[in-house]
Amino acid sequence: VTNEILKDGLIASSVGLASDQTLYTDTSAARMTIPLSRVFDTGLNFIVLGEAGAGKTTGLQMYGRKRIEENGATGKVIFAPLARVVRAWEKARGGLERTTCVGSLEVGIAAYLAVLGANVSGLELAETLKTSGGLLLLDGMDEATKDAPWMPLAIQSLASRFPRVQVITSSRMSGSYFEDIPFLGVTLLPFTEAQRSLFVQRWFGEMQNDKVEAIEAHL
């Protein structure tokens, strides 16, 4: 939208752009076909964006499994749906307030892990993350912000307090909170028809072409 507005010479000159200044006018998204694991292996913090069904949760889960199965993987690998973290944390504390939660998200993660049967306190988890590092996969930030609008700031605080921890979170492409998280953004785009066809073929294998043809015809 900004590109289109600045094409107008009067507007451009009003905001101080020289008449010979070249404006970037290509607004099409760059599509790259690259495994998510290769992107995540950089060790940077990421926010993974995409619409419902784009593969955000699956992508985070599969990467977590990959890291666990790797030989020599160091630090804890934790996958936590943020909406369930908020519910577990609220139940454990009897209520949540932004002023006390922004700087202690690890306490909420520990409360969620306790629901799963892991006996770890927030202080113990914080010490582990501080000394050993690890990988935190925090899924569904958009869902958590409905009850915890401070969640983006809490994630940012956690990442800054534990620099040895890689944080990867996910969200649908909605909301005004993206600027609160200074992570590199990756958007999962829908499959092209060629990618969809390849996925179906690999799912069933070469010996079940009849099923592949039936599904492709249905789609």
Side-chain angles (χ1 to χ4, degrees):
V1 172
T2 304
N3 289 330
E4 291 301 314
I5 293 175
L6 293 179
K7 286 180 181 179
D8 184 282
L10 180 59
I11 295 177
S13 61
S14 298
V15 298
L17 292 177
S19 59
D20 60 347
Q21 184 171 356
T22 302
L23 302 180
Y24 178 72
T25 57
D26 183 8
T27 58
S28 61
R31 174 185 286 268
M32 295 184 294
T33 302
I34 182 172
L36 268 180
S37 60
R38 186 177 300 175
V39 176
F40 294 160
D41 280 346
T42 60
L44 299 173
N45 295 331
F46 287 95
I47 176 170
V48 181
L49 305 174
E51 299 300 341
K56 301 182 297 296
T57 298
T58 303
L60 266 60
Q61 289 175 332
M62 291 302 100
Y63 184 66
R65 174 176 293 181
K66 170 183 176 294
R67 285 284 296 270
I68 291 173
E69 294 175 348
E70 282 180 346
N71 293 327
T74 59
K76 294 290 185 181
V77 177
I78 299 175
F79 173 86
L82 285 172
R84 296 178 64 181
V85 167
V86 171
R87 289 197 296 269
W89 197 1
E90 189 171 26
K91 184 176 180 180
R93 297 185 57 168
L96 298 176
E97 297 181 4
R98 171 175 177 169
T99 54
T100 59
C101 292
V102 167
S104 57
L105 181 55
E106 64 274 14
V107 177
I109 296 174
Y112 167 71
L113 295 177
V115 173
L116 301 181
N119 186 20
V120 58
S121 69
L123 290 176
E124 291 171 336
L125 180 59
E127 184 62 24
T128 299
L129 296 177
K130 180 180 179 180
T131 58
S132 303
L135 171 66
L136 289 181
L137 302 161
L138 307 178
D139 190 39
M141 183 178 64
D142 56 304
E143 297 180 18
T145 53
K146 296 175 183 178
D147 297 320
W150 38 261
M151 183 58 70
L153 294 177
I155 295 175
Q156 178 183 352
S157 172
L158 185 146
S160 62
R161 287 182 292 112
F162 302 108
R164 299 184 64 181
V165 176
Q166 181 183 15
V167 181
I168 303 176
T169 187
S170 68
S171 174
R172 293 189 185 184
M173 298 175 64
S174 60
S176 57
Y177 43 77
F178 296 139
E179 292 184 359
D180 292 331
I181 299 187
F183 294 177
L184 188 63
V186 174
T187 302
L188 299 183
L189 299 178
F191 278 4
T192 63
E193 290 189 10
Q195 288 173 329
R196 183 184 67 189
S197 177
L198 182 61
F199 176 85
V200 174
Q201 291 172 12
R202 287 180 172 176
W203 182 273
F204 287 101
E206 297 179 357
M207 304 303 294
Q208 303 187 62
N209 288 332
D210 56 332
K211 293 184 178 181
V212 173
E213 294 175 359
I215 289 179
E216 289 188 336
H218 172 75
L219 294 175

